[in-house]
Amino acid sequence: MKMFESIKDQVKNAKKIVFVTGAGISQESGIPTFRGKDGLWRNYDAMKLATIDAFYDDPKLVWEWYNERRHNIFSANPNQGHKAIAELEKFADVVSLTQNIDGLHQKAGSTKVLELHGSIVKIKCTVCDFSDEIMTDFTENPPLCKCGSILRPDVVWFGESLPQDVWQEAIIHANQCDLMIIVGTSLVVSPANTLPIYAKQNNAMLIEINPENTEMSSEMDLVIRNTSANALPEFVSLFKNL
């Protein structure tokens, strides 16, 4: 319990815990981050592929990239960090606000997950309102909607707005929590990086779990320089011993 020794008494009173998670938590399941050393795909910058302009410039290339990512994600399993968050639901009201599109929180058993940036398994039409889930590869590339337009992954690309219903619900949870734990995110992507500010306005305690320094480390009540797979099971054990 040494990591959380200084705040264990305050944690006891936390009724609602909100997690804000990013690519770092899934990196431990073998899914590369955008910004890390594995954040390149062939000779392309992943951050440049994940834009609407890149998609319209070369939809075949972007779909090829997403098919490869989807295969990688489907073969990945939740790690101890994901599992700890799911287990914590036994002891408190827990909500996960995730920037990840991999579904590993749900795979681990978490029941309250808001996917701020969409999901790798969902598709939508670039023109009409068609949307669906896709678990297998398309026979054509790029795939076409019944209306004849190109289908795209139902994810939020750089420069696009978050789904407003999901974002408004995320703000409500951030405003209501007693404790917010920010895990594996660099807090550089807007507007998700404003969620800790909403929590702070509610006088919530902020804990950051990240091996590296982030944009908001100085604003945290507690900073754990470790991985989520190491730190979060220890955090859950605090509740088991209450």
Side-chain angles (χ1 to χ4, degrees), residues 50-95:
T51 66
I52 191 67
D53 289 341
F55 181 69
Y56 283 126
D57 285 345
D58 195 341
K60 187 175 185 295
L61 173 70
V62 173
W63 263 115
E64 191 179 337
W65 179 52
Y66 270 89
N67 284 337
E68 193 166 309
R69 289 187 71 194
R70 195 161 58 241
H71 289 162
N72 181 240
I73 284 169
F74 284 171
S75 65
N77 293 310
N79 59 58
Q80 293 305 313
H82 295 109
K83 292 174 183 177
I85 293 173
E87 187 179 5
L88 197 59
E89 289 188 12
K90 298 175 185 175
F91 308 102
D93 180 12
V94 178
V95 181

Side-chain angles (χ1 to χ4, degrees), residues 83-141:
K83 292 174 183 177
I85 293 173
E87 187 179 5
L88 197 59
E89 289 188 12
K90 298 175 185 175
F91 308 102
D93 180 12
V94 178
V95 181
S96 295
L97 313 178
T98 187
Q99 296 169 279
N100 299 334
I101 60 172
D102 52 44
L104 288 179
H105 282 298
Q106 295 93 320
K107 211 171 176 180
S110 288
T111 62
K112 297 179 184 176
V113 182
L114 293 184
E115 294 175 310
L116 302 177
H117 293 169
S119 169
I120 193 102
V121 301
K122 294 177 182 173
I123 52 168
K124 64 180 180 181
C125 182
T126 50
V127 176
C128 76
D129 60 0
F130 172 80
S131 63
D132 201 359
E133 290 194 358
I134 173 71
M135 302 301 288
T136 58
D137 288 342
F138 293 99
T139 54
E140 54 189 348
N141 186 11

Side-chain angles (χ1 to χ4, degrees), residues 135-238:
M135 302 301 288
T136 58
D137 288 342
F138 293 99
T139 54
E140 54 189 348
N141 186 11
L144 300 179
C145 180
K146 291 177 182 177
C147 76
S149 304
I150 299 174
L151 291 169
R152 58 163 282 182
D154 194 357
V155 297
V156 177
W157 282 327
F158 293 106
E160 293 185 325
S161 298
L162 272 60
Q164 283 308 294
D165 54 341
V166 175
W167 176 240
Q168 291 303 319
E169 191 178 347
I171 291 174
I172 290 169
H173 288 302
N175 274 323
Q176 293 175 343
C177 70
D178 307 306
L179 170 62
M180 178 175 279
I181 305 178
I182 299 99
V183 182
T185 172
S186 55
L187 292 175
V188 297
V189 176
S190 178
N193 61 355
T194 64
L195 289 168
I197 298 170
Y198 288 106
K200 201 69 173 173
Q201 288 171 348
N202 187 45
N203 296 315
M205 174 183 285
L206 300 183
I207 299 176
E208 177 178 87
I209 299 174
N210 200 313
E212 299 172 9
N213 206 48
T214 74
E215 297 284 318
M216 293 185 66
S217 292
S218 61
E219 307 295 319
M220 300 294 158
D221 296 298
L222 178 66
V223 174
I224 304 291
R225 285 283 167 258
N226 210 317
T227 65
S228 54
N230 286 333
L232 286 175
E234 188 172 312
F235 180 76
V236 174
S237 67
L238 285 177

